[in-house]
């Protein structure tokens, strides 16, 4: 079952497959529908004609790899975002899913991507191929009456976000998320430089000198019924006071709606400034985020190490979920950290690393995918039943190296 790159000639067939699998969207045959894949994506597929009795012009299985970038430990990593992976109903249960996903992983490796990410509806089928749940989307329902009690913050003003000020918002977003783990960089061509389409709206928070200190973005819902009438996509501020000022601005919506749904990052600092006790978790299903390490050495090199951390240890990663050579997650690595820089050398496990100073850490692919994206410890991995064995000194060192906020992934402004 050969996997090949899809072209514009395959677009309608692929979109027919994807809309049949996931529902919704524009009729692929409509004259107003797109006729080619979006820039910044790598479409792959398997022709039905390559299968016994399969017709021509039908895509039996297909997927798209997004050329994303994510914040990682103070650095930036390339990430293959997997989207629209579908198998035609006629060919399900015949191994096409595994063949295609293995080819996707191999292509991510060939493209120099350190990581791969996806949003699964069924995580178990992806876990077989080394993906691990690392984050969950979270939203909070907040009564607007609570936000009205927040006092005004001196030295701050709100201004509408326009096409002219959108580049300022984007720069501010990069600054405020650079220390996070896995927040998308949202770079073109996957993310347009223009203001997102109506009904998206946003406000910048400025100080008296006109310097941007935070922003809040939202969509007003007119079909909310008993649900929240305002969907807040992001609320980011440099300081606690900035976040208070932005929350206070949301209270002004109380004349037209009663509640707001606020989308949160993992361990979001907004939680620390919410007043009152009326907020409650959104009962809707939480979207999952799964990650897979594609290249262990490159993932570590993409990070920045704490400035005071110096040492060397051996890291062994085992991966039996894909054929050898599919990617470079598995191996034995000598990891050295000095003056904030991480140096990684692949070694021969049989010979052993040259004098690992602190000892050895042994991870399976799932614990590697959980840990190397930051914010978790080897003890966390063991509590999940993943393999994460280490000499005590090496474990403490790796935990310190990968410390930071737990991963968060928000897909758009």
């Amino acid at each position: 079952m050969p996997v090949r790159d899809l072209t514009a000639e395959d677009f309608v067939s692929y979109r027919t497959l994807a809309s049949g699998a996931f529902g919704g969207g524009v009729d692929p045959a409509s004259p107003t529908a797109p006729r080619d894949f979006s820039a910044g994506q790598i479409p792959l597929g398997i022709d039905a004609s390559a299968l016994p009795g399969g017709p021509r012009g039908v895509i039996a299985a297909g997927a798209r790899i997004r050329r994303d970038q994510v914040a990682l430990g103070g650095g930036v990593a390339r990430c293959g975002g997997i989207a629209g992976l579908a198998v035609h109903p006629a060919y399900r249960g015949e191994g096409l899913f595994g063949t295609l996903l293995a080819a996707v992983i191999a292509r991510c490796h060939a493209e120099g991507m350190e990581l791969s990410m996806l949003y699964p509806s069924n995580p178990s089928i992806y876990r077989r191929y080394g993906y691990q749940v690392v984050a969950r989307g979270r939203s909070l329902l907040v009564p607007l009456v609570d936000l009205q009690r927040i006092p005004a913050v001196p030295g701050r003003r709100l201004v509408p976000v326009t096409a002219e000020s959108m580049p300022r918002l984007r720069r501010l977003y990069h600054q405020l998320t650079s220390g996070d783990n896995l927040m998308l960089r949202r770079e073109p061509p996957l993310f347009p430089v223009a203001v997102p389409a109506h009904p998206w709206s946003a406000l910048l928070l400025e100080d008296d000198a006109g310097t941007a200190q935070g922003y809040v973005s939202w969509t007003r819902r007119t079909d909310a019924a008993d649900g929240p009438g305002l969907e807040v996509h992001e609320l980011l501020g440099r300081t606690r006071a900035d976040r208070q000022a932005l929350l206070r601005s949301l209270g002004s919506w109380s004349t037209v709606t009663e509640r707001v749904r606020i989308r949160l990052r993992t361990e979001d600092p907004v939680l620390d400034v919410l007043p009152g006790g009326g907020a409650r978790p959104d009962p809707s299903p939480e979207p999952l985020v799964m990650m897979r390490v594609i290249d262990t050495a490159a993932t570590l090199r993409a990070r920045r190490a704490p400035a005071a951390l110096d040492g060397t240890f051996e890291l062994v990663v085992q991966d039996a979920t894909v054929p050898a050579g599919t990617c470079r997650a598995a191996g034995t690595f000598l990891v050295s950290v000095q003056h904030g820089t991480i140096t990684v050398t692949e070694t021969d496990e049989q010979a052993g690393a040259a004098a690992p100073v602190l000892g050895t850490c042994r991870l399976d692919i799932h614990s590697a995918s959980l840990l190397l994206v930051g914010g978790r410890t080897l003890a966390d991995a063991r509590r999940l039943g993943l393999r994460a064995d280490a000499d005590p000194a090496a474990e403490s060192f790796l935990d310190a190296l990968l410390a930071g906020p737990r991963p968060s992934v928000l897909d758009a402004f």
Side-chain angles (χ1 to χ4, degrees):
M1 292 179 286
V3 178
R4 66 173 179 86
D5 285 23
L6 301 181
T7 68
E9 294 180 355
D10 304 304
F11 182 78
V12 171
S13 180
Y14 169 76
R15 291 304 304 168
T16 300
L17 168 68
S19 62
F22 304 111
V26 179
D27 179 358
S30 168
T32 60
R35 285 292 178 267
D36 200 356
F37 295 95
S38 301
Q41 300 187 18
I42 306 168
L44 301 177
I46 299 173
D47 292 311
S49 59
L51 305 172
R56 295 183 179 276
V58 174
I59 301 299
R64 291 172 288 120
I65 305 173
R66 293 167 49 93
R67 298 182 186 271
D68 276 316
Q69 296 184 63
V70 296
L72 187 67
V76 176
R78 292 159 295 186
C79 181
I82 312 308
L85 197 159
V87 177
H88 195 287
Y91 304 106
R92 292 172 185 167
E94 298 186 13
L96 272 67
F97 177 89
T99 298
L100 180 60
L101 188 53
V104 164
I105 293 169
R107 184 59 174 269
C108 288
H109 175 224
E111 295 288 334
M113 298 170 178
E114 290 91 356
L115 300 164
S116 176
M117 175 172 63
L118 52 84
Y119 309 88
S121 56
N122 180 359
S124 62
I125 59 175
Y126 293 97
R127 196 177 189 282
R128 299 172 200 164
Y129 298 89
Y131 287 86
Q132 175 67 31
V133 174
V134 300
R136 296 173 181 269
R138 184 181 180 189
S139 296
L140 205 63
L141 299 177
V142 181
L144 290 176
V145 66
D146 284 358
L147 304 184
Q148 290 177 310
R149 296 200 293 267
I150 300 175
V153 177
R156 294 291 185 266
R157 62 175 179 248
L158 294 164
V159 295
V161 173
T162 64
E164 183 179 359
S165 59
M166 188 64 192
R168 294 180 63 206
L169 186 151
R170 187 179 294 273
R171 288 193 298 271
L172 180 62
Y173 168 80
H174 285 162
Q175 294 168 12
L176 297 181
T177 60
S178 62
D180 285 12
N181 284 312
L182 298 190
M183 286 288 282
L184 294 170
R185 293 283 293 175
R186 301 177 184 171
E187 301 283 6
L190 289 173
F191 294 89
V193 296
V195 175
H198 178 80
W200 183 93
S201 296
L203 295 173
L204 271 175
L205 182 71
E206 295 181 342
D207 61 18
D208 291 336
T211 302
Q213 301 294 332
Y215 73 89
V216 59
S217 63
W218 72 87
T219 295
R220 174 75 169 99
R221 289 177 59 96
T222 57
D223 58 346
D226 293 332
L230 201 67
E231 302 278 354
V232 172
H233 308 304
E234 288 176 346
L235 192 155
L236 301 176
R238 295 187 191 275
T239 68
R240 191 174 192 276
D242 293 330
R243 294 184 283 274
Q244 286 179 312
L246 291 167
L247 284 172
R248 183 177 188 272
S249 74
L250 295 176
S252 67
W253 287 90
S254 62
T255 58
V256 293
T257 187
E258 296 181 354
R259 291 185 300 169
V260 60
R261 179 187 284 115
I262 302 179
R263 188 173 66 158
L264 300 172
R265 293 176 289 170
T266 308
E267 301 171 340
D268 200 312
V270 169
L271 294 169
D272 189 52
V273 295
L274 280 173
R280 61 181 178 84
D282 181 6
S284 304
E286 295 181 342
L288 302 177
V289 179
M290 299 188 83
M291 300 293 301
R292 190 196 202 284
V293 171
I294 299 295
D295 188 324
T296 294
T299 298
L300 286 165
R301 293 187 192 111
R303 304 180 61 89
R304 295 174 186 168
L309 195 65
D310 290 315
T312 300
F313 69 98
E314 182 184 60
L315 175 65
V316 179
V317 178
Q318 297 174 330
D319 181 8
T321 62
V322 293
T326 302
C327 61
R328 298 191 66 183
T332 301
F333 309 91
L334 189 66
V335 183
S336 297
V337 180
Q338 189 173 30
H339 305 309
T341 300
I342 302 173
T343 303
V344 186
T345 304
E346 193 164 1
T347 66
D348 183 351
E349 185 176 9
Q350 299 300 320
V357 175
L358 297 169
T360 299
C361 295
R362 293 183 178 273
L363 310 177
D364 62 18
I365 184 58
H366 295 100
S367 59
S369 297
L370 177 77
L371 297 174
L372 296 188
V373 296
R376 305 295 287 267
T377 66
L378 274 74
D380 291 331
R382 289 193 290 270
R383 278 192 288 270
L384 295 176
L386 310 179
R387 183 178 183 188
D389 305 322
D391 298 321
E395 176 166 344
S396 296
F397 189 85
L398 184 57
D399 285 347
L401 176 62
L402 303 177
R406 290 197 175 190
S408 299
V409 180
L410 302 182
D411 56 348
F413 288 110

